[in-house]
Every structure is written in structure tokens, then in C-alpha cells.
Amino acid sequence: MAAQVRFQQSGNLGWITLDNPPVNALSQPLRAGLMAALEQAAQASGLDALLLLGTGRLFCAGADIKEFSAPPMAPALPDVIAAVEAFSKPVIAVLHGSALGGGLELALGAHYRIATTGTSLGLPEVKLGLLPGAGGTQRLPRVVGVPKALDMIVSGAPITGEAALAAGLVDTLYEGDALQAGTAYALELLTQGGGVRRTGERTAALEGNDPQAYFSEQKVSVEKRFPGLYSPLRCVMAVQASIRLPLAEGLKRERELFMECLQSPQRAGLVHAFFAEREASKVPGVTADTRPRSVEHAAVVGGGTMGVGIALCFANAGLPVKLLEVDETALARALQRARDTYAASVKRGSLSPIDMEQRLGLIEGVTDYAALAEVDVVVEAVFEDMAVKHRVFETLDAVCKPGALLASNTSSLDLNEIATATRRPEDVIGLHFFSPANVMRLLEVVRGARTSAEALATGLALGKRLKKVSAVVGVCDGFVGNRMLFQYGREAEFLLEEGATPEQVDAALRSFGMAMGPFAMRDLSGLDIGMAIRNRQRQQLPPNYPLPCLLDLLFEKGMLGQKTGCGFYRYEAGARTPLPNPELPALLQAASRQQGVERRALSDEYILDRTLLALVNEGAKLLDEGIALRASDIDLIYLNGYGFPAFRGGPMFYADTLGLGTVMERIEAFHRELGAWWEPAPLLQRLAREGGTFTGKGASA
Ligand code: 3H9
């Protein structure tokens, strides 16, 4: 038997323990070990019941995701689970921590399930572009009924032990040691004459519904909720089989649909995104020995939209936070903004009034820097002006206790220069939140030239606590995300001057899967903001650096986007739906004339290449310069901060799926056609020549 699984027996009880750290993933050796342990248990004398347990912090996180790109290896998980279900004595799965994916499917093969209150039970396969492929779509509806099962499978969201008890997914909750609790439960079960109870012998319930109509409706609803995604619809189709077919046939249907998903490019993109998130926490120079400092009290300097959003992040994580503004009036405005934001959540039903008051209670408004003397972290979120930042950091240096993390939320200024305002540059870090800070998951953690490993580890730990997805980046204008966005946005604007319309560009990118088109996005953030960035860039870019001019024309006319009811699009008062701006065609013509460009028809494919490959080329430069640690960090940033579709894996992964040879050819063509700014990044040239990919490129920490 493989060392990863142990069978033990004491009296009339046996137990099988999964031991495959860190998450007991059901890799081939574990599956083989389980099969062998089941055989051993079947032959054990005097055995009346069998427990299934997991060691470590959780029961089982499911199939080993790393195995998906390799040919399948026996024994297959469905066969292992069939052997569990067929066992001749009662099998009890004793769950703790998490029972996810194949882990929950294994538990569904058992005859009884018990769990701790804190156990997270779910079938998250859909988030990886899959469906539960080891019986989950057939057995879960037989245990909790079709509607509940479908909801869990299509959303991929886990439920708690308590909710699982209410749904009938677990038989009871336990506290304390799993083996002890499992033993006590098994003995009681045997006393009461509880026998083998196979899930597969039950039928899936869909009370009061006509199955045909119900599933047709579900399919329509899923297509609407997850446009462009491949696996959610197949989840519905698989669950439908659970009420039409006996278990064996239903499992066959599930397998077919699972294999279709497994082979889909979306699965590859989503699995890449899963690992990108885990890789990003591995940072060169930050080792297991690097101790993050304790953070129990925070402060935010600046009560504008960003500062308030950041303060809300702290309060949402249960951390007391002091919000500093220059005077009482500004402070009152900032605190009101915090209250209004929470009130909107209460109105939507996503926050209870009690939680709102509790969180507001964690935000203390202050106007005197002396109040920040004892905080563990300060995030500066004041106006983007170096002189202002310098004054703030000088003051923080003077008042904050030694060891406090001094963070700037700058999105564009040189962190190293900011750090010179202090006598402790090793404690200065960038924490670049994305707007709205309390909603967006991304956090760029900026490592300055002198930032210490300990400060960086503290920033990363804080990001985790705030439930952010963090990526460490180096110092440059715009860091990773915004530096790439500049190229993307500029190409999009050039396309308008060459012949496209905002509607066409936005629609092409939305149908690619972007959450929003670039022009709807510009209108949302405000064209005045775009103009301020453009003007700053004009001062920094070499003379004659080509820039589009349409933004200037809109700005001159006072068309600032949603805030003025008109920008690239027009908006009805109080509405956010983009309508055609009747003045735009004339402005487009004027912009084309000004640039000396003859307008022409552009295909959607061309639009996608111009915008997306601009991201890729800049991403390759950032990787080469060491500003991004690895290609997958760039992907992570785009997936979590810029609405790039997760099923495409991110811009660098998308480039890999096109093939870097093809990417190189297209970029070279743009270089010839358009100008020097399209020069292919040296890294791209190298990889295309060698037949390489971005995947796996960068730090291995
Ligand atoms: C499935 O089950 C298919 C079946 O239906 C059908 C099969 C036929 N495999 O997240 P963490 C690694 S699909 C391999 O940082 P946490 C992870 O990469 C699966 N590796 O910990 C990391 O490695 P490293 C359905 C895995 O405490 C380390 O474990 N299941 C797997 O923050 C720690 O992970 C899921 O989708 C895996 N399944 O969160 C669950 N899971 O240290 C996926 C984790 O080298 N997993 N690793 O970077 C999770 O959601 C979280 O990992 C979990 C723990 C909540 C369990």
C-alpha cells in the first residue's frame, strides 16, 4: 500500500487515513493507496464499520489539479469511489477543514458523513472549467435534491457544515478530534442498527417541477449568468442525467461531459489562473523564515474615494483603522462617504445593518498625525503629487513607531523617491489598490529598491488578510497593470482614428470576454482623469511620440464621460447605459483628419490583435525588466484588476495559446505598418525563435 494512505483497525472499527500534504489531493498514488486500503479493510476480520479520514488541516481538496494536463492514470477516481460505495460494511466519511471537488465526491461515495461546523463542503470544479467528474453530479442530487445540488455545482460555491447539515448532506456535526468523533458516531450507528446506505441506490428529487421545463429554464438561466463559459451548461446537462438515468448510466454521461470540459481551452485557462494565484505568493528573498510583522491597527492618510475604499477594506477585515484628513470638514465628508457606501450594501441586502454599524465603529476619523503614533501600518492615499507625498512621508517618519509599515497607494509615482522622504526606506512599500478599493480583488505590492524582505512579507500577509489577490511588482511608471493599460488604451484610441467606432471596439473586446470595453471604461472613470494622465505622459514621453488626439477633442468639448452625461457615449440622466453620442461621428472624422489618417473598415479580429497584443508586448518587456516577477503574475493582475476573462488565463497565457510565433508575426507586421512603438519585446523575439512560451517564465522563488 502506498505510504499516502493508511488502514488501521481497533476492535470492530477500521479507519482509512488520507495523508498527502498539503491538501490530500487525490493524486494517482493516493488513489492507488485508497484502493489497496479498501481491499485490506475488506479482508480484515471482525470489522463492522469503516471510517474515512484526512490528516492535516483538511479532509481533501479533490482531484490533483496538476494531473489534468497528463494522460489519465489508473485507478480512476470514479472507480475508487465506486469501491467505497460498494463496501459491504457502513463507511463513514469524517470531514474537517475542506471537502471539495473529488474530496466531497469521495465523501458522497461513503454511506454516512459527519463534519465540523467549520468544514467547507463544495464542488468548485466549474471554477476550473470542469464539472464534478467523479459522481458529484449524480450523487449530490440524490442526497440534497436537484435544486440545491444544481446550485452548488453551477456556482461552485462551498457551503458550511451547518448548511450541509440543514441540506442533509451531512448526518451530524462534531467538534474536536476526528478519529474520536468518528469512532463515537460509528459505535452509536452500529448500536442503532444503522447499516450500509448507498447514495447510488437513492433517487434524485425534483419535487413539484416538470423536469423537462425545469432543466430548459436552468439552461437558459445559466447561459445568461455565465456568457461565453463552456462548463456551466454542461453541469446542468450532467445533473439532468441524474433524474433521467440509473446511477451507472448517469455516471457514464457525466464522464463524457467531464472529458469534453477537460479538453476545452477554457479549462486550461482557468487552471492556469488557479496556479497563478498560488505562485504569486512565492517571492524571491521572502522565505519561510521571513516573519511578517503583526498588524492589528491601521491608518489611512487621505479620505478621498480611494482612501475611504482602503479604510473600508481594513474595517471589512475586522481591523481598526484611523482615517486621517486635513480638517474636520474634509473628515466629515470622508466618514459620510464610508457610511454611504455601507448603506448602499445594506440596501442591496449584501450587508446587515448590525454589521454596518460594527464596521463603521472600526473606522476612527482623525485630523492630527500624532494619532498615528502607535499604528502598525499606514497607507497613504493622497493626491498624486510628489511634493505632497514627500510631506506626508516626512511626517509619518516623524510620528510613527519604529517598525510601522509605511505604504503608499501611488499608482504612478516613483516609490523609491517617496521613500527618500523617510529615514527608514526599508519600511516603505507600495500597496496599489484598484478602484473601488473595497470591491476590487487586486493589490499590486510594490517592492522599492530598499524595501526589506520583512516589510514585503508584511505587505503580502496584510493583502491576504484583506482578502486581496496580491502580486509583487517593481518600481516603474504605472507598475505592471497600468503600464500595460496605457498601451492597450492608446491602441484602442488609434483604432477609432483609423476607422472603428467605440461601439465596435467595445463589442469586439466584450465578445472576447473582457468585462467592459475600453471606451465604456474610460467614460466610467472620467475623461478628465484620462486627460490628466495623458498630459503627464506628454511631459515624460520623447518628443513626437505618437499619441491619439480624440481624447483631447472630447475633453475640449467638456465631454468627460458618465459624470457629464456624455463622453465616448451618451448617457440619460441617472443612467449608466451607453448610448451613441450623436456628436461623435464628426469628432472621429476630425481626429482622423488631424492625424492624417484615411478612415477604413477594420475587422474585429484586427481590433483584438491591436489591443490585446499591445498588452502582450508590454507584458514581455515588464517581465524582461524584472518589474513583473513572472508571466503568471501579469496574468493574475489582468484577471483580477482589469476584467480580463479568467477562461483565457490572462494576456500572457492567451499569447501562449495563440503561439508565440504567430504573436511575433503579427507584432512584426504592426511594427512595419504603424511605427517604432510596436517593436517586438526582446523576450518575445527570443521565445518565438526558440519555440518557447511565457508559461513558466520568471522567478521560481
Ligand atoms: C476535481 O476534484 C475533479 C473531480 O471532480 C473529478 C476528477 C475525475 N490539486 O490554496 P492553497 C495546492 S477538481 C493539486 O494555497 P489554502 C496549491 O497549489 C479539484 N494541488 O491553500 C498549493 O500548492 P503550493 C476541485 C492543490 O489553505 C497548496 O496546495 N478542487 C490542490 O489557501 C496549498 O493551497 C478544488 O478546486 C488540488 N486540488 O486553500 C479545490 N488544491 O503550496 C482547490 C490545492 O505548491 N483548492 N493545491 O503553491 C482550493 O480551493 C484551496 O487550495 C483550498 C486550501 C481551499 C483547498
Side-chain angles (χ1 to χ4, degrees):
M1 188 198 307
Q4 293 183 331
V5 181
R6 285 188 305 277
F7 168 71
Q8 286 158 285
Q9 184 175 2
S10 170
N12 62 344
L13 286 188
W15 62 96
I16 292 177
T17 316
L18 312 182
D19 188 5
N20 184 20
V23 295
N24 295 326
L26 292 154
S27 57
Q28 191 278 337
L30 196 80
R31 298 195 301 273
L34 249 170
M35 273 303 207
L38 284 166
E39 269 165 38
Q40 214 180 332
Q43 280 156 24
S45 66
L47 192 93
D48 287 329
L50 181 64
L51 306 177
L52 277 181
L53 304 153
T55 55
R57 59 197 168 94
L58 50 86
F59 174 72
C60 175
D64 187 338
I65 301 169
K66 291 193 190 89
E67 285 185 356
F68 289 155
S69 38
M73 286 177 291
L77 187 56
D79 296 339
V80 177
I81 294 172
V84 170
E85 190 167 55
F87 200 75
S88 59
K89 299 286 160 55
V91 183
I92 300 143
V94 186
L95 313 178
H96 75 288
S98 301
L100 297 174
L104 182 58
E105 292 174 297
L106 177 64
L108 284 162
H111 308 143
Y112 299 88
R113 286 158 294 279
I114 68 172
T116 58
T117 319
T119 307
S120 168
L121 300 96
L123 294 172
E125 285 87 343
V126 73
K127 294 184 180 166
L128 300 171
L130 290 168
L131 52 85
T137 65
Q138 306 306 299
R139 290 194 180 91
L140 188 62
R142 286 172 158 84
V143 174
V144 301
V146 168
K148 178 77 189 161
L150 197 60
D151 179 45
M152 286 177 69
I153 291 168
V154 167
S155 73
I159 60 173
T160 61
E162 268 163 348
L165 180 68
L169 178 53
V170 300
D171 297 284
T172 190
L173 297 177
Y174 74 90
E175 277 175 33
D177 180 71
L179 181 57
Q180 254 175 29
T183 303
Y185 183 80
L187 293 176
E188 199 185 322
L189 186 75
L190 292 174
T191 311
Q192 290 172 359
V196 165
R197 189 188 65 175
R198 296 192 175 96
T199 308
E201 289 166 4
R202 297 160 75 168
T203 51
L206 180 59
E207 279 154 24
N209 282 294
D210 163 31
Q212 194 69 33
Y214 174 82
F215 280 103
S216 301
E217 227 170 76
Q218 292 300 319
K219 285 176 192 167
V220 172
S221 142
V222 154
E223 295 268 68
K224 223 189 255 162
R225 274 165 64 204
F226 307 101
L229 283 185
Y230 187 78
S231 70
L233 180 66
R234 279 153 189 83
C235 288
V236 183
M237 289 156 78
V239 172
Q240 188 171 16
S242 75
I243 59 159
R244 278 197 292 116
L245 303 172
L247 183 75
E249 282 176 52
L251 289 174
K252 237 194 208 157
R253 179 73 184 126
E254 176 192 82
R255 191 77 192 155
E256 285 163 13
L257 292 163
F258 177 79
M259 293 312 287
E260 284 174 24
C261 292
L262 190 67
Q263 276 140 24
S264 82
Q266 294 198 354
R267 190 274 306 161
L270 288 160
V271 166
H272 172 76
F274 175 85
F275 284 118
E277 202 168 319
R278 270 104 200 135
E279 273 306 289
S281 60
K282 296 166 192 158
V283 178
V286 178
T287 65
D289 297 334
T290 318
R291 289 268 157 261
R293 295 174 198 151
S294 141
V295 172
E296 294 310 326
H297 293 93
V300 175
V301 178
T305 313
M306 206 61 195
V308 169
I310 297 169
L312 296 178
C313 288
F314 284 113
N316 292 346
L319 277 168
V321 55
K322 295 181 198 292
L323 180 59
L324 186 136
E325 254 301 352
V326 283
D327 55 37
E328 291 298 338
T329 316
L331 183 61
R333 225 180 5 242
L335 293 175
Q336 188 58 44
R337 184 175 284 156
R339 178 168 284 281
D340 291 347
T341 310
Y342 278 142
S345 304
V346 170
K347 200 167 165 201
R348 272 199 307 274
S350 58
L351 187 72
S352 74
I354 294 174
D355 286 345
M356 163 169 161
E357 290 309 325
Q358 197 186 14
R359 290 180 197 190
L360 282 172
L362 290 170
I363 305 176
E364 181 192 349
V366 298
T367 53
D368 186 350
Y369 273 89
L372 310 190
E374 290 305 316
V375 299
D376 306 305
V377 56
V378 188
V379 183
E380 162 278 308
V382 302
F383 191 64
E384 286 283 271
D385 178 287
M386 189 54 88
V388 180
K389 304 261 184 203
H390 259 242
R391 277 201 298 280
V392 171
F393 274 80
E394 265 165 30
T395 317
L396 292 176
D397 190 34
V399 302
C400 290
K401 68 179 183 186
L405 190 69
L406 306 183
S408 172
N409 176 55
T410 182
S411 58
S412 56
L413 299 180
D414 183 342
L415 184 76
N416 294 328
E417 203 183 323
I418 295 175
T420 61
T422 73
R423 289 159 297 170
R424 36 175 141 169
E426 65 283 1
D427 290 335
V428 177
I429 194 173
L431 291 179
H432 182 207
F433 290 80
F434 288 73
S435 191
N438 52 315
V439 176
M440 297 296 288
R441 286 186 81 211
L442 179 63
L443 184 66
E444 280 183 330
V445 178
V446 189
R447 179 184 215 162
R450 296 181 61 187
T451 304
S452 71
E454 206 183 76
L456 197 59
T458 310
L460 286 167
L462 179 63
K464 203 163 188 179
R465 191 137 166 221
L466 301 183
K467 297 208 164 61
K468 299 289 176 196
V469 173
S470 303
V472 172
V473 299
V475 177
C476 72
D477 189 357
F479 308 118
V480 170
N482 284 346
R483 194 172 122 181
M484 287 168 67
L485 190 71
F486 167 62
Q487 302 296 340
Y488 170 83
R490 191 174 56 142
E491 285 311 305
E493 278 183 59
F494 275 143
L495 289 167
L496 296 192
E497 296 175 357
E498 290 167 27
T501 60
E503 285 85 351
Q504 189 193 359
V505 174
D506 280 359
L509 283 156
R510 271 200 323 273
S511 61
F512 173 80
M514 297 296 288
M516 238 180 160
F519 297 110
M521 174 68 92
R522 284 272 167 92
D523 275 359
L524 177 68
S525 54
L527 269 51
D528 47 342
I529 309 268
M531 211 48 215
I533 297 173
R534 179 69 43 92
N535 286 336
R536 193 169 49 76
Q537 280 161 348
R538 280 202 172 105
Q539 290 165 10
Q540 290 165 355
L541 290 167
N544 303 327
Y545 190 86
L547 285 171
C549 64
L550 183 67
L551 190 60
D552 303 68
L553 301 184
L554 288 162
F555 186 75
E556 279 161 21
K557 286 195 150 276
M559 296 178 177
L560 304 185
Q562 286 193 16
K563 64 177 79 166
T564 57
C566 201
F568 288 98
Y569 298 96
R570 186 178 66 81
Y571 302 86
E572 298 285 358
R576 288 169 178 266
T577 312
L579 304 166
N581 173 355
E583 293 189 51
L584 198 76
L587 291 171
L588 288 175
Q589 294 288 350
S592 304
R593 259 196 319 278
Q594 195 170 318
Q595 299 279 36
V597 178
E598 183 129 356
R599 295 184 69 76
R600 63 197 164 101
L602 303 174
S603 72
D604 287 357
E605 196 191 346
Y606 183 80
I607 289 171
L608 292 184
D609 278 349
R610 280 283 293 277
T611 46
L612 299 172
L613 298 187
L615 285 178
V616 172
N617 204 31
E618 197 64 18
K621 289 178 192 168
L622 285 159
L623 195 54
D624 230 4
E625 291 166 27
I627 301 288
L629 284 176
R630 48 180 88 79
S632 60
D633 283 4
I634 299 176
D635 287 334
L636 185 75
I637 287 170
Y638 262 75
L639 297 180
N640 291 284
Y642 295 87
F644 203 92
F647 67 83
R648 305 262 189 198
M652 308 314 275
F653 187 79
Y654 169 66
D656 281 348
T657 58
L658 287 179
L660 295 191
T662 306
V663 170
M664 181 67 191
E665 265 170 36
R666 294 183 193 173
I667 290 184
E668 274 179 328
F670 293 149
H671 189 202
R672 283 192 301 273
E673 175 197 342
L674 299 160
W677 78 90
W678 268 104
E679 184 173 0
L683 175 65
L684 173 62
Q685 298 187 30
R686 224 165 41 238
L687 290 174
R689 225 181 9 250
E690 293 163 3
T693 59
F694 287 124
T695 303
K697 287 288 161 304
S700 51

